[in-house]
Amino acid sequence: MKRRIWNVVRMEWAGMAATPSSLLFLVVIPLILVAQALLLSWIVPRFVNPAILGPTAADASALRLLILRQFPFFVLLIPAMVANVFATLGIVEEKVSRTLEPLLATPVRTWELLVGKILSGAVPGLLVAWVSAALFVAVGHALGWGSQLRLVLTATFFLDVLLLMPAVSLLSFILGVIGSSRARDAKEAQNLAVLVIFPIFALIAVQVTGLVEFTPVRTLLLSLAFFAVDAVLLRGAVRLFGRESIVTRWK
Amino acid sequence: MIDHTVISTEGLSKRFGDRVAVDALTVAVCGGEIVGLLGPNGAGKTTTLRMLAGIIAPSAGRAVVDGRDPASEPEKVHESIGFLTESPGFYERLSAERNLAYFAAFYGGVDAKAAAARELARLGLADRARDKVGTFSKGMKQRLALARVLLHGPRILFLDEPTAGLDPEAARNLRELIVSLREHGCTVLLSTHNLSEAEELSDRIAVFRTRLLAIDTPRALRERQFERRLRVRLADGVAPSLAALREEPYVREARVEEDGVLTVLLADPDSDRPRLVSRIVQAGGQILEVREDERPLEDVYLSLVREEET
């Protein structure tokens, strides 16, 4: 079982390595997101018009802290996008190149194939997100924001990175599978699966507006809710990924 | 080499919505046998192979392949079968050997790299092992697909259009390979539109049109659909012999064809043949050649399919 799953993972990664654009995506998107977050944290407090902030405005340091606090949710975009792209690439390619039927004639089980694909997409997505978070913190420290970062690196932050991120990464991959099962090509699949971005934007909006304060308990509950949604959607994805649909309906 | 039954079906059926793709197929195939599946497009040949390979489940009936039910134990069945699918799908950005090693690694007890190298050499693709499959011609991909099917040394092969897209030489090599696999005890179910290939390779031929119309040896199918006639070519014209022949009780019919050859329908083509030859000679005919008028398999196939239509 492990051997067959690992075989799928290795093959997926070999396919990615043979596709420079996917590797570029793996590096460029996280870098852009981290750079964007750092730039915002640096520029906004420095150049914001005091007239906009009004008489009760916080100082620059408090404003930066507000922006830094968005980062844990902002960085969720990374595993979501990376896993999504890898899911669509991994499945649509099978569909277009008609490799699924020969694959299903081997002793690999459908769930092993799917788990292999999930790991091959979600693990790089997560790793890149963790590296991005570490990079963000390291650069923040280098820029002298240590005292503000200490207020960000709370239990909520670590729950976000260790629980919410995997849940979102999984959700993104599953939506990628569902999108790919319905789509004719990678572009169409990504268009469908990009819907995963919207809940993340909603989280960012909720955080920015201060409507909900993300305490450790709430973050934990949110992560569990995402995992529950993952479980429900996974059932649907497995059904769509059934052998019969693949060989008779996937065109 | 032919021994016990290794593939059997009983009332095997498949429906897709209202459409019946395979209707109550009951058949048995012995070990070491090659059975050709013939039928028009949409006749259910590929669906049958997919059910036998455990890729799709039957709507009714059951199959047993190498002692196991492919619907309930597909992965076990996959250990002993090789399924050459209709389209030879590959990961085109990866090399031929990487593709094969990937598929080989799903089988227990197979050294993936060694198996890939062995089959690439067997199919004459060793020198292209490290090339991306995307650079391969259609025929090379088809050979690579066959190499993939053989990686784990299967005892049963399901081949869906194996020579489609191959040039004549490659097609011949592949047919020779299929024969040699049979000689090593492999059982083959071969779906094809190439009738001469089916006849050359198959011990028995099954004609399909959603349901099984007939299954037998090519010769028996001919006899079933057409009467056996003898063609007698004479050196000195047929007229005197023809008149004499029509008087014989064992001659059911005798006529001269447009090409001047005498065709004769005998009561018993095997035992009456020597008597016929003696009679022609007695009547003064000089025989150049006597042979059975063997109808092409195409005629047999079309006759069976049209019979079903009417």
Side-chain angles (χ1 to χ4, degrees):
Chain A
M1 179 186 82
K2 280 183 197 161
R3 176 176 49 85
R4 290 190 289 259
I5 292 173
W6 179 233
N7 191 31
V8 175
V9 172
R10 283 197 319 160
M11 186 62 166
E12 289 297 315
W13 287 349
M16 287 173 202
T19 318
S21 59
S22 67
L23 290 178
L24 196 68
F25 185 86
L26 193 63
V27 175
V28 170
I29 292 291
L31 275 181
I32 289 173
L33 287 172
V34 169
Q36 196 181 358
L38 287 167
L39 210 60
L40 274 175
S41 307
W42 185 75
I43 286 177
V44 173
R46 189 163 298 235
F47 298 108
V48 70
N49 183 348
I52 295 172
L53 297 173
T56 58
D59 60 11
S61 166
L63 195 57
R64 176 168 295 121
L65 180 61
L66 179 69
I67 296 170
L68 290 176
R69 278 192 167 145
Q70 314 316 315
F71 183 72
F73 294 95
F74 193 62
V75 84
L76 285 174
L77 289 169
I78 296 173
M81 291 171 81
V82 170
N84 187 266
V85 166
F86 282 12
T88 48
L89 275 178
I91 289 168
V92 172
E93 191 185 0
E94 300 268 14
K95 203 168 177 177
V96 171
S97 60
R98 294 176 175 269
T99 40
L100 272 170
E101 193 175 0
L103 204 50
L104 296 178
T106 71
V108 72
R109 289 162 172 81
T110 309
W111 70 266
E112 290 171 335
L113 192 61
L114 213 52
V115 168
K117 284 185 177 290
I118 286 172
L119 291 177
S120 68
V123 168
L126 260 183
L127 287 177
V128 167
W130 286 341
V131 169
S132 303
L135 185 67
F136 178 81
V137 171
V139 175
H141 270 288
L143 290 171
W145 306 337
S147 58
Q148 290 144 321
L149 280 169
R150 268 192 293 280
L151 297 172
V152 174
L153 300 178
T154 58
T156 303
F157 177 85
F158 289 104
L159 279 170
D160 175 87
V161 168
L162 297 175
L163 272 182
L164 194 55
M165 266 188 198
V168 167
S169 186
L170 194 56
L171 176 69
S172 178
F173 189 92
I174 295 166
L175 287 176
V177 171
I178 292 172
S180 307
S181 305
R182 288 278 164 233
R184 282 183 295 267
D185 55 38
K187 192 177 264 183
E188 194 181 328
Q190 280 166 10
N191 289 342
L192 289 170
V194 82
L195 296 173
V196 74
I197 302 297
F198 291 109
I200 296 171
F201 278 135
L203 282 178
I204 295 171
V206 165
Q207 169 79 0
V208 168
T209 54
L211 283 174
V212 177
E213 189 193 346
F214 282 95
T215 60
V217 173
R218 283 181 181 155
T219 307
L220 180 67
L221 290 174
L222 185 66
S223 305
L224 294 176
F226 264 104
F227 277 121
V229 172
D230 289 346
V232 172
L233 288 178
L234 189 59
R235 285 175 66 109
V238 169
R239 212 167 31 240
L240 282 172
F241 208 78
R243 287 166 186 260
E244 188 153 331
S245 339
I246 289 168
V247 295
T248 58
R249 288 183 211 136
W250 283 29
K251 300 288 179 203
Chain B
M1 191 56 87
I2 292 176
D3 48 24
H4 63 288
T5 299
V6 293
I7 302 167
S8 64
T9 67
E10 205 178 305
L12 193 70
S13 306
K14 183 68 190 176
R15 299 179 74 92
F16 294 108
D18 293 337
R19 189 175 68 82
V20 177
V22 177
D23 187 13
L25 173 67
T26 298
V27 73
V29 178
C30 292
E33 194 179 14
I34 299 181
V35 174
L37 305 181
L38 298 181
N41 290 330
K45 304 185 296 292
T46 299
T47 302
T48 300
L49 293 183
R50 282 172 172 169
M51 284 193 285
L52 292 175
I55 290 176
I56 60 175
S59 310
R62 74 185 291 258
V64 177
V65 175
D66 203 26
R68 294 177 189 277
D69 182 346
S72 59
E73 298 180 283
E75 291 84 13
K76 296 279 183 195
V77 168
H78 296 163
E79 294 280 357
S80 55
I81 66 155
F83 184 19
L84 181 73
T85 53
E86 209 170 354
S87 27
F90 286 101
Y91 303 95
E92 306 231 328
R93 284 192 298 270
L94 299 176
S95 70
E97 66 180 3
R98 185 69 189 84
N99 267 278
L100 291 194
Y102 174 55
F103 283 88
F106 288 119
Y107 297 93
V110 172
D111 179 342
K113 280 188 179 173
R118 182 192 68 230
E119 294 309 327
L120 283 167
R122 174 153 48 171
L123 272 296
L125 292 167
D127 56 332
R128 301 291 304 270
R130 297 198 170 181
D131 292 351
K132 289 181 180 176
V133 175
T135 65
F136 282 22
S137 68
K138 192 177 173 191
M140 288 167 72
K141 283 181 188 169
Q142 188 71 2
R143 277 192 282 157
L144 190 61
L146 193 70
R148 173 171 60 194
V149 163
L150 300 173
L151 286 165
H152 55 298
R155 294 186 292 278
I156 298 166
L157 288 177
F158 299 135
L159 306 179
D160 201 352
E161 299 285 346
T163 54
L166 294 185
D167 62 57
E169 190 186 350
R172 167 150 294 280
N173 290 341
L174 199 142
R175 284 195 290 271
E176 285 171 2
L177 176 62
I178 293 171
V179 170
S180 84
L181 289 167
R182 186 259 301 273
E183 282 164 5
H184 287 90
C186 206
T187 308
V188 182
L189 272 191
L190 170 78
S191 164
T192 181
H193 286 295
N194 185 334
L195 300 179
S196 60
E197 175 179 284
E199 183 161 20
E200 180 187 336
L201 293 174
S202 308
D203 299 303
R204 286 190 297 155
I205 285 176
V207 181
F208 258 78
R209 188 170 184 142
T210 305
R211 65 186 189 84
L212 184 64
L213 304 181
I215 179 166
D216 218 322
T217 61
R219 184 186 173 93
L221 285 178
R222 272 195 189 89
E223 287 176 14
R224 174 177 153 162
Q225 292 304 110
F226 301 104
E227 291 169 314
R228 289 169 65 190
R229 290 172 189 275
L230 290 181
R231 285 173 60 84
V232 184
R233 201 151 62 84
L234 298 162
D236 52 353
V238 293
S241 306
L242 187 61
L245 285 179
R246 281 181 175 151
E247 292 166 10
E248 296 297 324
Y250 55 86
V251 174
R252 288 167 51 193
E253 191 185 310
R255 66 169 184 261
V256 180
E257 301 295 335
E258 283 176 4
D259 56 1
V261 171
L262 172 67
T263 60
V264 185
L265 180 62
L266 298 173
D268 181 341
D270 294 319
S271 63
D272 294 335
R273 192 183 305 200
R275 288 204 282 172
L276 172 73
V277 170
S278 305
R279 187 68 191 87
I280 292 172
V281 172
Q282 258 181 15
Q286 292 183 357
I287 297 173
L288 295 175
E289 182 189 27
V290 178
R291 65 180 174 84
E292 203 155 311
D293 182 17
E294 198 162 77
R295 300 290 289 261
L297 187 62
E298 187 180 12
D299 287 357
V300 177
Y301 166 77
L302 290 174
S303 146
L304 280 163
V305 170
R306 284 175 189 155
E307 228 174 62
E308 167 71 5
E309 279 173 356
T310 54

Short mmCIF file of all heavy atoms in Angstrom, two decimals, chain A residues 65-107:
data_model
loop_
_atom_site.label_atom_id
_atom_site.label_comp_id
_atom_site.label_asym_id
_atom_site.label_seq_id
_atom_site.Cartn_x
_atom_site.Cartn_y
_atom_site.Cartn_z
N LEU A 65 1.32 46.44 13.14
CA LEU A 65 0.87 45.25 13.86
C LEU A 65 -0.45 44.74 13.28
O LEU A 65 -0.62 43.53 13.09
CB LEU A 65 0.71 45.57 15.35
CG LEU A 65 0.25 44.41 16.24
CD1 LEU A 65 1.26 43.25 16.19
CD2 LEU A 65 0.05 44.86 17.67
N LEU A 66 -1.32 45.67 12.94
CA LEU A 66 -2.61 45.29 12.35
C LEU A 66 -2.38 44.52 11.04
O LEU A 66 -3.01 43.49 10.79
CB LEU A 66 -3.46 46.54 12.10
CG LEU A 66 -4.82 46.28 11.45
CD1 LEU A 66 -5.75 45.58 12.41
CD2 LEU A 66 -5.45 47.60 10.98
N ILE A 67 -1.45 45.03 10.24
CA ILE A 67 -1.19 44.37 8.94
C ILE A 67 -0.51 43.02 9.16
O ILE A 67 -0.87 42.03 8.54
CB ILE A 67 -0.32 45.29 8.05
CG1 ILE A 67 -1.10 46.57 7.74
CG2 ILE A 67 0.06 44.58 6.75
CD1 ILE A 67 -0.26 47.64 7.07
N LEU A 68 0.45 43.00 10.08
CA LEU A 68 1.16 41.74 10.34
C LEU A 68 0.21 40.65 10.80
O LEU A 68 0.38 39.48 10.50
CB LEU A 68 2.26 41.94 11.40
CG LEU A 68 3.47 42.76 10.98
CD1 LEU A 68 4.42 42.96 12.16
CD2 LEU A 68 4.22 42.10 9.83
N ARG A 69 -0.83 41.05 11.52
CA ARG A 69 -1.79 40.07 12.05
C ARG A 69 -2.61 39.43 10.93
O ARG A 69 -3.22 38.38 11.13
CB ARG A 69 -2.71 40.71 13.07
CG ARG A 69 -2.05 40.77 14.44
CD ARG A 69 -3.05 41.14 15.50
NE ARG A 69 -2.49 40.89 16.82
CZ ARG A 69 -2.75 41.65 17.86
NH1 ARG A 69 -3.54 42.69 17.76
NH2 ARG A 69 -2.22 41.35 19.02
N GLN A 70 -2.62 40.07 9.79
CA GLN A 70 -3.38 39.47 8.67
C GLN A 70 -2.59 38.35 8.00
O GLN A 70 -3.15 37.52 7.30
CB GLN A 70 -3.72 40.52 7.58
CG GLN A 70 -4.28 41.84 8.08
CD GLN A 70 -5.32 41.66 9.15
OE1 GLN A 70 -6.22 40.82 9.04
NE2 GLN A 70 -5.21 42.43 10.23
N PHE A 71 -1.26 38.41 8.24
CA PHE A 71 -0.41 37.49 7.49
C PHE A 71 -0.78 36.01 7.63
O PHE A 71 -0.83 35.28 6.64
CB PHE A 71 1.07 37.71 7.84
CG PHE A 71 1.98 36.82 7.04
CD1 PHE A 71 2.20 37.06 5.70
CD2 PHE A 71 2.57 35.71 7.63
CE1 PHE A 71 3.02 36.22 4.96
CE2 PHE A 71 3.39 34.88 6.89
CZ PHE A 71 3.61 35.14 5.55
N PRO A 72 -1.07 35.54 8.86
CA PRO A 72 -1.39 34.10 8.97
C PRO A 72 -2.53 33.67 8.05
O PRO A 72 -2.54 32.55 7.55
CB PRO A 72 -1.78 33.95 10.44
CG PRO A 72 -1.08 35.04 11.13
CD PRO A 72 -1.05 36.19 10.17
N PHE A 73 -3.48 34.57 7.82
CA PHE A 73 -4.60 34.21 6.93
C PHE A 73 -4.23 34.45 5.47
O PHE A 73 -4.62 33.71 4.59
CB PHE A 73 -5.86 34.98 7.34
CG PHE A 73 -6.36 34.57 8.68
CD1 PHE A 73 -6.00 35.25 9.83
CD2 PHE A 73 -7.13 33.42 8.81
CE1 PHE A 73 -6.41 34.82 11.07
CE2 PHE A 73 -7.56 32.99 10.06
CZ PHE A 73 -7.19 33.69 11.19
N PHE A 74 -3.44 35.51 5.29
CA PHE A 74 -2.98 35.84 3.95
C PHE A 74 -2.14 34.68 3.37
O PHE A 74 -2.28 34.31 2.21
CB PHE A 74 -2.13 37.11 4.07
CG PHE A 74 -1.82 37.77 2.78
CD1 PHE A 74 -2.83 38.26 1.96
CD2 PHE A 74 -0.50 37.93 2.37
CE1 PHE A 74 -2.53 38.90 0.77
CE2 PHE A 74 -0.20 38.56 1.19
CZ PHE A 74 -1.22 39.04 0.38
N VAL A 75 -1.33 34.10 4.24
CA VAL A 75 -0.43 33.03 3.78
C VAL A 75 -1.19 31.73 3.46
O VAL A 75 -0.67 30.84 2.79
CB VAL A 75 0.70 32.79 4.83
CG1 VAL A 75 0.25 31.87 5.93
CG2 VAL A 75 1.96 32.28 4.17
N LEU A 76 -2.44 31.66 3.90
CA LEU A 76 -3.26 30.48 3.55
C LEU A 76 -3.47 30.38 2.04
O LEU A 76 -3.74 29.30 1.50
CB LEU A 76 -4.64 30.58 4.21
CG LEU A 76 -4.73 30.31 5.70
CD1 LEU A 76 -6.13 30.59 6.19
CD2 LEU A 76 -4.36 28.86 5.99
N LEU A 77 -3.33 31.53 1.38
CA LEU A 77 -3.49 31.52 -0.07
C LEU A 77 -2.43 30.64 -0.74
O LEU A 77 -2.67 30.07 -1.81
CB LEU A 77 -3.37 32.95 -0.63
CG LEU A 77 -4.54 33.89 -0.33
CD1 LEU A 77 -4.17 35.31 -0.70
CD2 LEU A 77 -5.78 33.44 -1.11
N ILE A 78 -1.27 30.53 -0.07
CA ILE A 78 -0.16 29.79 -0.71
C ILE A 78 -0.49 28.29 -0.86
O ILE A 78 -0.51 27.80 -1.99
CB ILE A 78 1.17 30.01 0.05
CG1 ILE A 78 1.55 31.49 -0.06
CG2 ILE A 78 2.27 29.13 -0.53
CD1 ILE A 78 2.76 31.89 0.78
N PRO A 79 -0.77 27.57 0.24
CA PRO A 79 -1.07 26.14 0.03
C PRO A 79 -2.33 25.95 -0.81
O PRO A 79 -2.43 25.00 -1.58
CB PRO A 79 -1.27 25.59 1.44
CG PRO A 79 -1.55 26.77 2.29
CD PRO A 79 -0.84 27.92 1.66
N ALA A 80 -3.28 26.89 -0.67
CA ALA A 80 -4.51 26.76 -1.45
C ALA A 80 -4.21 26.80 -2.94
O ALA A 80 -4.66 25.95 -3.71
CB ALA A 80 -5.48 27.87 -1.07
N MET A 81 -3.41 27.78 -3.33
CA MET A 81 -3.14 27.93 -4.76
C MET A 81 -2.22 26.84 -5.29
O MET A 81 -2.43 26.30 -6.37
CB MET A 81 -2.57 29.32 -5.04
CG MET A 81 -3.60 30.41 -4.82
SD MET A 81 -2.91 32.06 -4.87
CE MET A 81 -2.80 32.32 -6.62
N VAL A 82 -1.19 26.53 -4.49
CA VAL A 82 -0.21 25.53 -4.95
C VAL A 82 -0.88 24.15 -5.08
O VAL A 82 -0.77 23.48 -6.11
CB VAL A 82 1.01 25.47 -4.00
CG1 VAL A 82 1.89 24.29 -4.33
CG2 VAL A 82 1.80 26.76 -4.11
N ALA A 83 -1.61 23.76 -4.03
CA ALA A 83 -2.26 22.43 -4.07
C ALA A 83 -3.26 22.37 -5.20
O ALA A 83 -3.40 21.36 -5.89
CB ALA A 83 -2.96 22.16 -2.74
N ASN A 84 -3.94 23.49 -5.40
CA ASN A 84 -4.94 23.55 -6.45
C ASN A 84 -4.33 23.35 -7.84
O ASN A 84 -4.82 22.56 -8.65
CB ASN A 84 -5.62 24.91 -6.37
CG ASN A 84 -6.78 25.00 -7.31
OD1 ASN A 84 -6.61 25.47 -8.40
ND2 ASN A 84 -7.92 24.50 -6.88
N VAL A 85 -3.23 24.05 -8.07
CA VAL A 85 -2.57 23.92 -9.38
C VAL A 85 -2.06 22.50 -9.58
O VAL A 85 -2.23 21.91 -10.64
CB VAL A 85 -1.42 24.95 -9.49
CG1 VAL A 85 -0.51 24.62 -10.67
CG2 VAL A 85 -2.00 26.34 -9.66
N PHE A 86 -1.48 21.94 -8.52
CA PHE A 86 -0.93 20.59 -8.66
C PHE A 86 -2.04 19.55 -8.85
O PHE A 86 -1.88 18.60 -9.61
CB PHE A 86 -0.07 20.24 -7.45
CG PHE A 86 1.29 20.88 -7.50
CD1 PHE A 86 1.58 21.86 -8.43
CD2 PHE A 86 2.29 20.50 -6.63
CE1 PHE A 86 2.83 22.45 -8.49
CE2 PHE A 86 3.55 21.09 -6.69
CZ PHE A 86 3.81 22.07 -7.61
N ALA A 87 -3.16 19.76 -8.18
CA ALA A 87 -4.28 18.82 -8.35
C ALA A 87 -4.77 18.84 -9.78
O ALA A 87 -4.96 17.80 -10.41
CB ALA A 87 -5.42 19.19 -7.41
N THR A 88 -4.97 20.04 -10.29
CA THR A 88 -5.51 20.14 -11.64
C THR A 88 -4.51 19.61 -12.66
O THR A 88 -4.88 18.91 -13.59
CB THR A 88 -5.92 21.58 -11.97
OG1 THR A 88 -4.87 22.44 -11.61
CG2 THR A 88 -7.16 21.97 -11.24
N LEU A 89 -3.22 19.94 -12.42
CA LEU A 89 -2.21 19.42 -13.36
C LEU A 89 -2.17 17.90 -13.30
O LEU A 89 -2.18 17.21 -14.33
CB LEU A 89 -0.82 19.95 -12.99
CG LEU A 89 -0.44 21.33 -13.55
CD1 LEU A 89 0.94 21.69 -13.04
CD2 LEU A 89 -0.44 21.31 -15.07
N GLY A 90 -2.16 17.38 -12.07
CA GLY A 90 -2.02 15.94 -11.86
C GLY A 90 -3.18 15.14 -12.42
O GLY A 90 -2.99 14.02 -12.90
N ILE A 91 -4.37 15.68 -12.37
CA ILE A 91 -5.53 14.90 -12.81
C ILE A 91 -5.91 15.20 -14.26
O ILE A 91 -6.17 14.29 -15.03
CB ILE A 91 -6.70 15.11 -11.85
CG1 ILE A 91 -6.33 14.40 -10.55
CG2 ILE A 91 -7.99 14.55 -12.40
CD1 ILE A 91 -7.18 14.70 -9.40
N VAL A 92 -5.88 16.48 -14.60
CA VAL A 92 -6.25 16.79 -16.00
C VAL A 92 -5.24 16.16 -16.96
O VAL A 92 -5.60 15.70 -18.03
CB VAL A 92 -6.37 18.31 -16.20
CG1 VAL A 92 -6.54 18.65 -17.67
CG2 VAL A 92 -7.55 18.83 -15.42
N GLU A 93 -3.98 16.13 -16.54
CA GLU A 93 -2.99 15.51 -17.43
C GLU A 93 -3.32 14.03 -17.66
O GLU A 93 -3.21 13.53 -18.77
CB GLU A 93 -1.58 15.68 -16.89
CG GLU A 93 -0.57 15.27 -17.96
CD GLU A 93 0.87 15.27 -17.50
OE1 GLU A 93 1.11 15.59 -16.33
OE2 GLU A 93 1.72 14.92 -18.33
N GLU A 94 -3.73 13.36 -16.58
CA GLU A 94 -4.10 11.95 -16.70
C GLU A 94 -5.26 11.82 -17.70
O GLU A 94 -5.32 10.89 -18.50
CB GLU A 94 -4.57 11.39 -15.36
CG GLU A 94 -3.56 11.44 -14.25
CD GLU A 94 -2.72 10.19 -14.14
OE1 GLU A 94 -2.73 9.38 -15.07
OE2 GLU A 94 -2.03 10.05 -13.11
N LYS A 95 -6.16 12.78 -17.59
CA LYS A 95 -7.36 12.74 -18.41
C LYS A 95 -7.01 12.98 -19.88
O LYS A 95 -7.43 12.22 -20.76
CB LYS A 95 -8.27 13.87 -17.91
CG LYS A 95 -9.70 13.73 -18.19
CD LYS A 95 -10.41 14.79 -17.35
CE LYS A 95 -11.87 14.80 -17.59
NZ LYS A 95 -12.56 15.76 -16.72
N VAL A 96 -6.22 14.02 -20.10
CA VAL A 96 -5.87 14.38 -21.48
C VAL A 96 -5.00 13.31 -22.11
O VAL A 96 -5.19 12.95 -23.27
CB VAL A 96 -5.15 15.76 -21.48
CG1 VAL A 96 -4.58 16.07 -22.86
CG2 VAL A 96 -6.13 16.85 -21.07
N SER A 97 -4.05 12.77 -21.33
CA SER A 97 -3.13 11.79 -21.93
C SER A 97 -3.70 10.37 -21.87
O SER A 97 -3.08 9.44 -22.34
CB SER A 97 -1.77 11.84 -21.23
OG SER A 97 -1.94 11.55 -19.86
N ARG A 98 -4.88 10.21 -21.32
CA ARG A 98 -5.58 8.91 -21.25
C ARG A 98 -4.76 7.83 -20.55
O ARG A 98 -4.67 6.69 -21.00
CB ARG A 98 -5.97 8.44 -22.65
CG ARG A 98 -7.00 9.35 -23.28
CD ARG A 98 -7.31 8.95 -24.69
NE ARG A 98 -8.38 9.77 -25.24
CZ ARG A 98 -9.66 9.45 -25.17
NH1 ARG A 98 -10.04 8.35 -24.60
NH2 ARG A 98 -10.58 10.25 -25.69
N THR A 99 -4.13 8.22 -19.46
CA THR A 99 -3.30 7.26 -18.72
C THR A 99 -4.08 6.58 -17.60
O THR A 99 -3.59 5.64 -17.00
CB THR A 99 -2.08 7.98 -18.10
OG1 THR A 99 -2.50 9.23 -17.60
CG2 THR A 99 -0.99 8.19 -19.12
N LEU A 100 -5.28 7.11 -17.31
CA LEU A 100 -5.99 6.55 -16.15
C LEU A 100 -6.46 5.11 -16.37
O LEU A 100 -6.40 4.30 -15.46
CB LEU A 100 -7.17 7.45 -15.78
CG LEU A 100 -6.77 8.57 -14.81
CD1 LEU A 100 -7.89 9.58 -14.66
CD2 LEU A 100 -6.38 8.03 -13.45
N GLU A 101 -6.91 4.81 -17.57
CA GLU A 101 -7.41 3.44 -17.77
C GLU A 101 -6.29 2.41 -17.63
O GLU A 101 -6.46 1.42 -16.90
CB GLU A 101 -8.14 3.30 -19.11
CG GLU A 101 -8.91 1.98 -19.15
CD GLU A 101 -9.76 1.80 -20.38
OE1 GLU A 101 -9.77 2.70 -21.25
OE2 GLU A 101 -10.41 0.75 -20.50
N PRO A 102 -5.14 2.61 -18.31
CA PRO A 102 -4.05 1.66 -18.05
C PRO A 102 -3.64 1.61 -16.59
O PRO A 102 -3.29 0.56 -16.06
CB PRO A 102 -2.89 2.16 -18.92
CG PRO A 102 -3.41 3.23 -19.77
CD PRO A 102 -4.80 3.59 -19.35
N LEU A 103 -3.72 2.75 -15.92
CA LEU A 103 -3.35 2.81 -14.51
C LEU A 103 -4.33 1.98 -13.67
O LEU A 103 -3.94 1.26 -12.76
CB LEU A 103 -3.40 4.28 -14.08
CG LEU A 103 -2.57 4.73 -12.90
CD1 LEU A 103 -1.13 4.27 -13.04
CD2 LEU A 103 -2.61 6.25 -12.79
N LEU A 104 -5.60 2.09 -14.01
CA LEU A 104 -6.63 1.36 -13.26
C LEU A 104 -6.59 -0.14 -13.54
O LEU A 104 -7.24 -0.91 -12.84
CB LEU A 104 -8.02 1.92 -13.55
CG LEU A 104 -8.24 3.37 -13.12
CD1 LEU A 104 -9.62 3.84 -13.50
CD2 LEU A 104 -8.01 3.54 -11.63
N ALA A 105 -5.85 -0.53 -14.57
CA ALA A 105 -5.70 -1.96 -14.85
C ALA A 105 -4.52 -2.56 -14.08
O ALA A 105 -4.23 -3.75 -14.20
CB ALA A 105 -5.51 -2.18 -16.35
N THR A 106 -3.83 -1.74 -13.30
CA THR A 106 -2.76 -2.25 -12.43
C THR A 106 -3.36 -2.50 -11.03
O THR A 106 -4.50 -2.11 -10.79
CB THR A 106 -1.62 -1.21 -12.29
OG1 THR A 106 -2.09 -0.12 -11.49
CG2 THR A 106 -1.14 -0.71 -13.63
N PRO A 107 -2.60 -3.10 -10.14
CA PRO A 107 -3.18 -3.38 -8.81
C PRO A 107 -3.38 -2.14 -7.93
O PRO A 107 -3.78 -2.28 -6.78
CB PRO A 107 -2.16 -4.33 -8.17
CG PRO A 107 -1.40 -4.89 -9.32
CD PRO A 107 -1.33 -3.82 -10.34
#
